[in-house]
Structures are given as C-alpha cells and as structure tokens.
Amino acid sequence: MASIGSKAFYKCTKLKYIGSNESRITLAKIKTIGASAFQGCTTFTYVNLSSTALTSIGSKAFYGCTKLKTFVSKSSKLNSIGSKAFYGDKKLASVTLRTSKLTSSNVGSSAFKGISSTCTFKVPSKKVTAYKKIFKAKGAGSKIKVKKIS
C-alpha cells in the first residue's frame, strides 16, 4: 500500500486498530496519508507509522481524533505535515518524529492546535531548537517540550 486516500476512514468511529494491536494503527509501507484520512476517528489511542518511506501527512489527516494520545513516525523522509493535521486532538501528549526535513513552510497552519498543552515531541537532536519554534508557531502552545530522540 503506497498511500491512504483522502477521507479513507473519515469519521470511522468504529475503527479500533489497523495492523495487529488493538487501538493502534501500524502501517509499515505507507508513503502518503491523504487529507482527512482519519478525521473524526474517535476510538484509537495510538498511531505507530513504522514506514520509513512516509513523506507526507495531509491536511486534517488526524483532525478531531479525540482519544489519540501517542503518534510515532519512524520515517526520516517525512517532509510535509498539512494544515490542521492534528487539530483538536486534545489528548495527544507524545509525538515522535524521526525526520529532519520539516520547515516552517512545509508544516501547515494550526497543524498542532488543540493538542495537549504539555505534549512532548521527540525529534532528531539537531532539530530540537528549530522544531520547538515551528511547532509552537503551528499551534502547539508555549508549554510543549521538545526533546531529542534517545
């Protein structure tokens, strides 16, 4: 599977898991996640994108996933997070991104607006300072923590 299309699981309130673990999404070979792909999915708590090929997360991809607590992307190729991608995910408290390719211009407006005010982002050590500035500017709030991946 190369991509998850726009609105593929839009408002799928029965979606509990994809892959082998309940309440988790694990996608090993995904390259792109379309706009609103998981918007309004209110049941899963953990997203583990084990794909090392992921390049983009579309606008509103995880918008309104109100039980989502943890998001992990293992891709070092991720170079785009769309506007409002995680908007309103009020329980999102942990985000791990292994990419060094994000910039202010390729992370959309309000991408992290409405997430937990004390969310911890884990990122490559060379990007801690730059990403902290970007994530705050994209709605994450002033109390977030940005740490290097250990």
Side-chain angles (χ1 to χ4, degrees), residues 110-132:
S110 300
F112 298 103
K113 188 163 181 77
I115 65 170
S116 171
S117 63
T118 56
C119 185
T120 298
F121 289 83
K122 295 175 190 163
V123 301
S125 58
K126 293 179 182 177
K127 291 296 188 173
V128 170
T129 303
Y131 281 4
K132 188 171 192 173

Side-chain angles (χ1 to χ4, degrees), residues 32 44 51 53 58 63 92 101 121 130 137 147:
T32 61
F44 58 80
S51 172
Y63 181 107
L92 185 58
K101 297 185 177 190
F121 289 83
K147 301 178 176 182

Side-chain angles (χ1 to χ4, degrees), residues 89-149:
D89 297 351
K90 58 189 174 189
K91 292 188 179 181
L92 185 58
S94 177
V95 176
T96 302
L97 300 170
R98 296 197 178 273
T99 185
S100 295
K101 297 185 177 190
L102 297 175
T103 64
S104 184
S105 62
N106 64 19
V107 176
S109 65
S110 300
F112 298 103
K113 188 163 181 77
I115 65 170
S116 171
S117 63
T118 56
C119 185
T120 298
F121 289 83
K122 295 175 190 163
V123 301
S125 58
K126 293 179 182 177
K127 291 296 188 173
V128 170
T129 303
Y131 281 4
K132 188 171 192 173
K133 186 176 179 181
I134 292 168
F135 299 153
K136 284 182 177 182
K138 302 304 179 173
S142 60
K143 294 180 184 177
I144 63 161
K145 295 179 186 105
V146 181
K147 301 178 176 182
K148 67 178 183 175
I149 296 171

Side-chain angles (χ1 to χ4, degrees), residues 32-94:
T32 61
I33 298 174
S36 302
F38 295 96
Q39 182 178 342
C41 294
T42 55
T43 52
F44 58 80
T45 59
Y46 186 96
V47 174
N48 179 11
L49 301 175
S50 58
S51 172
T52 56
L54 182 69
T55 59
S56 69
I57 297 172
S59 298
K60 298 184 179 180
F62 295 95
Y63 181 107
C65 295
T66 54
K67 290 190 180 174
L68 180 60
K69 294 178 184 175
T70 304
F71 180 87
V72 177
S73 170
K74 296 186 179 170
S75 178
S76 61
K77 297 176 184 175
L78 181 64
N79 63 18
S80 174
I81 298 176
S83 63
K84 299 184 179 181
F86 297 94
Y87 189 98
D89 297 351
K90 58 189 174 189
K91 292 188 179 181
L92 185 58
S94 177

